[in-house]
Amino acid sequence: MTTLGAVFLPQLPPERLRSVVQAADQAGLEELWLWEDCFLESGIATASAALAWSSTMRVGVGLLPVPLRNVALTGMEVATLSRLFPGRALIGVGHGVQDWMGQVGARVESPVTLLREYTVALRALLAGERVTTAGRYVRLEGVALDWPPTAATPILVGAVGPRTLRLSGEVADGTILTGGTDVAAVRAGRALVDEGRTAAGRSAAHPIVVYLHTATGDGASERMAAERERWGYQGRNPADVTVVGDEHVIAEAVHRWAAAGADSVILQPTPDDPDPEGFVRFVAERVRPLVG
């Protein structure tokens, strides 16, 4: 079964989060995803609040930029969320936007090397291991979490390029694909992830999460046209990267992305959606029954 979720965009003020979370949880939304975009909102702080304000909904952070965060700190934060809200926190890590990393003095020469070292160390910490490593970027000496998760805590990797997609298959528990990933790119991404899994001798399930730009209701076409321009999608077929329409149109698009290999399709509203609470209710109550 395809998992269906929605994004709470960090362009909304933090004080708006509570009402969106409560609307999503009450409507039965499966997953609400949050972003740690510079310089908007913290992924861990918002996830903590969202998990506390909900009862059953899973909350994803997609993603934490690894150049910005010491791996031991991330391990402590993720372990805390896992113990406070067992099975409901989903955490993704990734390169981060390189221009932003440069702004804060955190840009590295080899983002792929950092992500590999970071993900391996983070997963070991969350597994309760005592970690000593002296990599190019990640250095730990006898570090172990006093309060590791009591259950397996999957770590996903956000990936776009072939090297990172293969790396995700090698070292992560799932992969996040950004909005604008068309169905052909989902198929290609799944194949590259599987190459990495095979190379590493991994056979466990590896879910693919993809964001899908979505607009519905009054002004949806105009809002999405502006969104395509903002993301630089000019020249691409709008139906390949976005969906605009009612629940039937959107459910059909979800089916196409799922058929291409996405296990979770997370609907990403436009930043100027006039009713964020209404959007998450729409996803849970009107689209979900049509997805199956």
Side-chain angles (χ1 to χ4, degrees):
M1 179 184 294
T2 304
T3 298
L4 190 66
V7 178
F8 175 88
L9 292 171
Q11 286 81 7
L12 293 171
E15 56 269 26
R16 191 70 182 269
L17 178 62
R18 183 170 190 161
S19 62
V20 174
V21 167
Q22 291 175 335
D25 196 51
Q26 291 165 8
L29 187 72
E30 294 163 88
E31 295 180 1
L32 183 71
W33 282 77
L34 312 169
W35 296 355
E36 186 165 86
D37 276 3
C38 297
F39 301 95
L40 294 165
E41 293 163 7
S42 157
I44 296 296
T46 51
S48 299
L51 287 161
W53 289 329
S54 58
S55 57
T56 59
M57 182 175 67
R58 294 184 296 274
V59 175
V61 180
L63 46 79
L64 301 174
V66 301
L68 199 60
R69 298 173 147 271
N70 184 280
V71 69
L73 175 63
T74 299
M76 292 161 59
E77 291 180 322
V78 174
T80 300
L81 286 180
S82 179
R83 292 181 71 111
L84 287 172
F85 308 101
R88 293 209 292 130
L90 305 169
I91 304 296
V93 297
H95 300 308
V97 176
Q98 294 305 294
D99 287 346
W100 290 339
M101 298 303 100
Q103 278 185 273
V104 299
R107 190 167 186 167
V108 299
E109 185 177 357
S110 178
V112 173
T113 299
L114 169 58
L115 187 57
R116 176 186 294 278
E117 294 178 356
Y118 196 103
T119 307
V120 170
L122 179 59
R123 293 182 72 238
L125 289 170
L126 295 173
E129 298 177 18
R130 184 170 299 277
V131 181
T132 295
T133 183
R136 182 174 177 182
Y137 299 109
V138 176
R139 299 177 180 89
L140 300 172
E141 185 175 345
V143 176
L145 300 176
D146 284 357
W147 296 105
T150 55
T153 302
I155 295 296
L156 290 76
V157 159
V160 176
R163 290 179 65 200
T164 308
L165 286 161
R166 290 190 189 96
L167 173 65
S168 183
E170 288 181 45
V171 303
D173 303 301
T175 300
I176 303 169
L177 303 178
T178 187
T181 304
D182 60 31
V183 294
V186 172
R187 292 191 190 97
R190 169 66 80 178
L192 289 164
V193 165
D194 286 345
E195 285 181 19
R197 294 172 66 221
T198 299
R202 304 184 70 192
S203 58
H206 186 108
I208 300 289
V209 178
V210 63
Y211 297 130
L212 176 59
H213 294 282
T214 305
T216 190
D218 294 341
S221 296
E222 294 76 14
R223 286 187 282 111
M224 189 57 77
E227 188 77 338
R228 286 194 295 270
E229 183 174 354
R230 183 163 42 245
W231 285 86
Y233 296 154
Q234 300 93 328
R236 299 180 67 181
N237 183 344
D240 287 343
V241 290
T242 62
V243 58
V244 176
D246 64 12
E247 60 268 33
H248 299 283
V249 173
I250 293 169
E252 176 56 34
V254 171
H255 287 142
R256 287 194 287 121
W257 265 263
D263 299 285
S264 299
V265 180
I266 311 302
L267 304 184
Q268 177 181 326
T270 62
D272 55 351
D273 189 292
D275 184 9
E277 293 83 0
F279 182 84
V280 296
R281 285 192 291 264
F282 168 81
V283 173
E285 297 174 349
R286 295 175 60 179
V287 182
R288 170 77 267 179
L290 301 177
V291 169

